[in-house]
Amino acid sequence: MKADAACLFILWKDGSKSNGRGQKAITASTTPVTENRQFGSKMTDSKYFTTTKKGEIFELKAELNSDKKEKKKEAVKKVIASMTVGKDVSALFPDVVNCMQTDNLELKKLVYLYLMNYAKSQPDMAIMAVNTFVKDCEDPNPLIRALAVRTMGCIRVDKITEYLCEPLRKCLKDEDPYVRKTAAVCVAKLHDINAQLVEDQGFLDTLKDLISDSNPMVVANAVAALSEIAESHPNSNLLDLNPQTINKLLTALNECTEWGQIFILDCLANYTPRDDRESQSICERVTPRLSHANSAVVLSAVKVLMKFMEMLPKDLDYYGTLLKKLAPPLVTLLSAEPELQYVALRNINLIVQRRPEILKHEMKVFFVKYNDPIYVKLEKLDIMIRLASQANIAQVLAELKEYATEVDVDFVRKAVRAIGRCAIKVEQSAERCVSTLLDLIQTKVNYVVQEAIVVIKDIFRKYPNKYESVIATLCENLDSLDEPEARAAMIWIVGEYAERIDNADELLESFLEGFHDESTQVQLQLLTAIVKLFLKKPTETQELVQQVLSLATQDSDNPDLRDRGYIYWRLLSTDPVAAKEVVLAEKPLISEETDLIEPTLLEELICHIGTLASVYHKPPSAFVEGSRGVQHKRLPGSTGSGESVESPDTGSAAGVSEAPPAVIPSQGDLLGDLLNLDLTPTTTGPPPPPASSGMQLGAMDLLGGGLDSLPPIPLRTDTPQSPQLPHQSPSPPDYSPTEVGPRDHAGLVKLGGDLGGGPAIGTGFGAPPATMPASFNVPVSGGLDDLFDLGGGVGMAMGAFNPPKTVWLPAMKAKGLEISGTFVRRAGVIQMEMTLTNKAMSVMTDFAIQFNRNSFGLAPAGPLQVLSPLSPNQSIEAVLPLSTVGPVMKMEPLNNLQVAVKNNIDVFYFSCQYPISMLFAEDGKMDRQVFLATWKDIPNDNESQFQIKDCHLNSDAASNKLQGSNIFTIAKRTVEGQDMLYQSMKLTNGIWVLAELRVQAGNPNYTISLKCRAPEVSQCVFQNYETVLKN
């Protein structure tokens, strides 16, 4: 409280110079002063506290009512001083308010300061000051008019706000710009107290008019006020930015103060230009701000330029010029004090991840200085790794080796780990990095050795069979390892290369002696390593493997360890060959693990450069209370060539940059996401056209190409519930890719569209054929044509199956609103058919709907049309067309959809599941030869098998029924009395699913095998088969 009051006192002294920011500070600091009781009456030495005076409050009261102006002013100063140190002087409220009637500006400021502090605790008495405010708003002195309107905004008392509307309206149209700019900020404060009042009085329209004001500071404050209101009410669309408004803001940008420039730049960052020409024009006018002395202005300008660069073609000359102009101001920020350096580095970290080419020639500025604080050192280290390329790797390694000899242990560990990251990122430097790590191991410094072993393990994973000669050196340091991560890494190396280490069994046995004292990480690694050793040297290590399995399963309380032990035990005891295939399987190569931020989050953080979000590397919704008002921002789509971001070593020998790793967004805080939804009715019109490149890429990453980079989830099992198909031989011959389809620009075969984001299958035709469906491998005299003989009779398709309506939102959970519905697909359009029933006592109006991000980008293609008010006990049918170009996020289950519905009563949330057949496209019938080649090309691990029980349709009836749901039969074949249907379907995001349905006459159980590049889809597809065939 003392600090608050001190802040108030300082602000009073500088009141005449304050701007919008100052007013905001006053608002934040005016909290009621709690009563500070001094000493209790039970003090034993009370005589020392007795006095003949009538009390300080009484004396101040007398002085405040004095006729002498100087004495009165001194008395008010004493009151403010007492308030500053935390004394309760609220009893003097009426006496201080009486002092408002004065021409003395200094005294008036003091009284207003007191009023702001105590008005909330004395609301009835605060009304006494209303007449003075009204009078002061018409004072000839503009400073007094501005002071009055500023204080009015800071008094957060509902009772008197309505009295202040007229004075505020006059001040908004005042002839003096100082008064107008102060009044603009007052509107934002009043809106926070009573939003409805501000809207009813038309202050928002007046505020919008101020954007066209002739004074740049008035424009800046108007933008600041509108931006603040818009943030707390994202649906209001207050800042209707258009080229004319943007031009006014850019004109004001050159003339207003530094804080005004920040407000305007932040507002510009929310604008999306119409085309690359407008984007370039804005960039040219913002670029001079990069040379501003205020670092906040520089970062705000960088934010605007980073966003608008997305729309510039990369082959444009100006694009290269802009890249060069962005580097110097960022480098200059690193010459400030350490705290500012850290903020700049955290922002640069984001910029480098998005556009590393900006700073690719500035590596030296990120070299660590001896007197840098540790937080600056670690951040510089991270950026060095991100900028490392073949061109600068030599100087980077020299620096890192130097850092590894520092005294700061944490920094040394990071430096050693950074050397390993360099080896993984820049392949040409791997040998030099390994040599550097071996030199560091020779230093015998314990923590250096342990970090080196951890990163060498990763290098082995990245470059198998290349650097294993260093294993002997690593084994020499076995006894010095005492950290779990280092011990686990060493055990992994011994187990992985057991056949190259003569005494591998002795080394692992030495770890086994203290098995129960080891951490879980080491225990798990030791278990796996000994099983690997047993599979490589079974005769010599049988006792060892039995010992570790016993320790893991019988003597351990850790469920993870125990489960892994049982799995290994059963594998080894039932099928040693399968155990070898599982445990000694070839491991996928690791990629450069620089902790890249997930792409959609990175885009949002780039839009928040210069704010706390860019320092925390978290979206505002993660740390701002009341996330309902937080909007998720995205970068605009590029109009350029659409290639991925260049790597720092562009143009070097390693010239081709790899695509950024595909990251599937996690489900996250879904309730928070729903609270952020914009529930205003969308504009009417046709559904948006499918986005090119950028928009579809998100959907493809989710369940197409992005999943191919992840380890496949094995869904097939050997249990009776899902039997495997017997794979027979011989397999069919390879087919010429020229017969499959047209070629693309790279000479690869295109197979009737994207087959799920994987590589073009024509490229793999020269390889040995992969395992085929069982019936494909049956020798057939007539060759391929006989196999795909459709003479078995596939009839005409029946109508599509549409599930019946179910209750999605019960009335008891939605204040009387009940919603039941279903999903249908008609003529290629997905629709959500709903019945809205009003079981409340009041009329419901103003319906709107919004979806959360979901697996397939489902989103409303238009507003929810409820044309008439929904009266009590009335039901209305509503049909909502859906598009599949919305934002994407993987859900559990995959077909889960979270919905928010708003009406005049409240916002309600529910979730429902849509049948995946709604996403099956009408062009999902694959060419026969393409089907055969695609089945070969999809990995066997991606095949899943299921049983459909109690289904009494014959194969023709099943085929007809499925075709109504866009599941197309490519071929039918009868083998040993069993009908085989080969079917294909295509999802709206381009993923193909291939199926083999086996129907045995007289057997009500069908067997279905599904193959897809995104195996997660298979479970949903199976459920859809089951639903369609049984209904």
Side-chain angles (χ1 to χ4, degrees), residues 384-402:
M384 282 172 64
I385 305 306
R386 298 197 194 285
L387 291 175
S389 65
Q390 190 182 351
N392 57 28
I393 194 66
Q395 59 180 158
V396 170
L397 278 179
E399 277 290 311
L400 293 176
K401 190 174 181 181
E402 190 72 27

Side-chain angles (χ1 to χ4, degrees), residues 809-811 814-819 836-837 844 847 870 901 903 908:
L809 182 65
K815 300 181 180 178
L817 173 64
E818 180 181 280
I819 300 178
L836 282 63
T837 304
M844 295 182 181
F847 285 90
L870 188 57
V901 172
N903 61 14
F908 309 106

Side-chain angles (χ1 to χ4, degrees), residues 178-191:
Y178 182 74
V179 180
R180 294 200 301 275
K181 84 174 184 65
T182 308
V185 177
C186 185
V187 173
K189 293 177 181 177
L190 191 59
H191 189 274

Side-chain angles (χ1 to χ4, degrees), residues 942-960:
N942 288 21
E943 183 179 341
S944 309
Q945 294 184 9
F946 306 92
Q947 273 202 340
I948 303 172
K949 297 183 179 180
D950 300 324
C951 194
H952 301 280
L953 299 173
N954 62 31
S955 59
D956 289 345
S959 175
N960 295 343

Side-chain angles (χ1 to χ4, degrees), residues 266-540:
D266 287 348
C267 181
L268 287 173
N270 294 325
Y271 176 64
T272 303
R274 293 168 301 178
D275 51 33
D276 56 343
R277 183 177 296 178
E278 185 184 6
S279 182
Q280 180 177 340
S281 171
I282 294 173
C283 288
E284 286 171 351
R285 297 178 70 177
V286 168
T287 305
R289 301 302 107 207
L290 293 173
S291 57
H292 202 283
N294 188 319
S295 55
V297 175
V298 173
L299 285 176
S300 293
V302 168
K303 170 170 61 182
V304 174
L305 296 174
M306 283 292 292
K307 181 174 180 179
F308 290 176
M309 278 175 72
E310 296 291 328
M311 297 191 67
L312 297 178
K314 292 183 173 54
D315 54 358
L316 196 69
D317 290 341
Y318 181 73
Y319 180 83
T321 306
L322 196 55
L323 288 178
K324 292 175 184 175
K325 287 183 177 179
L326 277 168
L330 294 173
V331 170
T332 304
L333 291 176
L334 299 182
S335 58
E337 52 267 28
E339 293 79 11
L340 273 180
Q341 277 188 57
Y342 179 73
V343 171
L345 287 166
R346 292 293 282 178
N347 282 274
I348 288 170
N349 201 325
L350 298 173
I351 293 165
V352 164
Q353 288 185 57
R354 185 72 189 175
R355 299 201 177 278
E357 64 270 29
I358 291 175
L359 291 163
K360 65 181 179 181
H361 300 304
E362 304 292 343
M363 176 65 82
K364 285 190 176 180
V365 301
F366 298 105
F367 286 173
V368 171
K369 298 174 183 174
Y370 76 95
N371 58 348
D372 280 338
I374 184 64
Y375 54 87
V376 171
K377 286 181 177 179
L378 295 179
E379 205 58 39
K380 282 185 174 180
L381 205 57
D382 197 31
I383 295 171
M384 282 172 64
I385 305 306
R386 298 197 194 285
L387 291 175
S389 65
Q390 190 182 351
N392 57 28
I393 194 66
Q395 59 180 158
V396 170
L397 278 179
E399 277 290 311
L400 293 176
K401 190 174 181 181
E402 190 72 27
Y403 300 160
T405 60
E406 292 271 350
V407 292
D408 191 312
V409 176
D410 288 336
F411 182 55
V412 170
R413 287 179 184 276
K414 288 278 187 184
V416 175
R417 194 155 290 203
I419 294 171
R421 284 169 62 179
C422 283
I424 292 167
K425 183 177 181 184
V426 187
E427 186 172 351
Q428 294 80 0
S429 73
E431 193 164 343
R432 190 181 296 175
C433 291
V434 171
S435 174
T436 304
L437 289 169
L438 289 175
D439 290 344
L440 292 172
I441 289 174
Q442 297 304 328
T443 62
K444 300 296 181 185
V445 178
N446 187 264
Y447 54 86
V448 174
V449 171
Q450 302 198 80
E451 283 295 329
I453 287 173
V454 171
V455 297
I456 286 174
K457 180 204 78 170
D458 292 336
I459 293 172
F460 285 167
R461 283 284 307 276
K462 177 71 174 177
Y463 309 108
N465 304 317
K466 201 168 182 181
Y467 300 108
E468 282 74 11
S469 57
V470 306
I471 291 175
T473 309
L474 302 182
C475 291
E476 292 171 8
N477 297 278
L478 207 60
D479 296 334
S480 64
L481 306 180
D482 54 17
E483 294 173 6
E485 194 176 4
R487 290 172 74 83
M490 193 66 227
I491 291 168
W492 181 89
I493 291 169
V494 173
E496 189 68 18
Y497 302 101
E499 70 278 8
R500 306 187 188 198
I501 304 172
D502 296 333
N503 62 336
D505 52 341
E506 294 175 12
L507 295 175
L508 293 177
E509 194 170 7
S510 66
F511 284 102
L512 204 58
E513 292 169 2
F515 185 79
H516 291 302
D517 298 327
E518 300 284 4
S519 68
T520 303
Q521 181 183 8
V522 176
Q523 289 176 334
L524 288 167
Q525 201 60 261
L526 189 56
L527 172 60
T528 302
I530 291 176
V531 171
K532 286 180 183 176
L533 177 64
F534 171 71
L535 292 169
K536 293 175 180 179
K537 302 179 180 179
T539 54
E540 305 164 30

Side-chain angles (χ1 to χ4, degrees), residues 814-871:
K815 300 181 180 178
L817 173 64
E818 180 181 280
I819 300 178
S820 57
T822 186
F823 294 88
V824 299
R825 184 181 182 99
R826 291 196 176 95
V829 178
I830 306 170
Q831 293 178 335
M832 194 177 185
E833 295 188 348
M834 293 176 285
T835 302
L836 282 63
T837 304
N838 183 358
K839 296 187 176 181
M841 301 301 291
S842 56
V843 175
M844 295 182 181
T845 58
D846 302 330
F847 285 90
I849 192 166
Q850 187 59 280
F851 296 172
N852 198 359
R853 294 179 293 171
N854 53 80
S855 303
F856 294 94
L858 281 179
L864 178 59
Q865 299 286 359
V866 180
L867 300 178
S868 58
L870 188 57
S871 303

Side-chain angles (χ1 to χ4, degrees), residues 42-59:
K42 295 183 180 180
M43 298 294 291
T44 52
D45 297 325
S46 58
K47 61 180 179 180
Y48 295 113
F49 298 95
T50 56
T51 176
T52 55
K53 292 184 178 180
K54 291 184 178 180
E56 187 179 7
I57 296 292
F58 183 83
E59 290 179 358

Side-chain angles (χ1 to χ4, degrees), residues 258-269:
E258 53 193 1
W259 295 113
Q261 291 180 33
I262 293 168
F263 289 136
I264 291 175
L265 288 168
D266 287 348
C267 181
L268 287 173

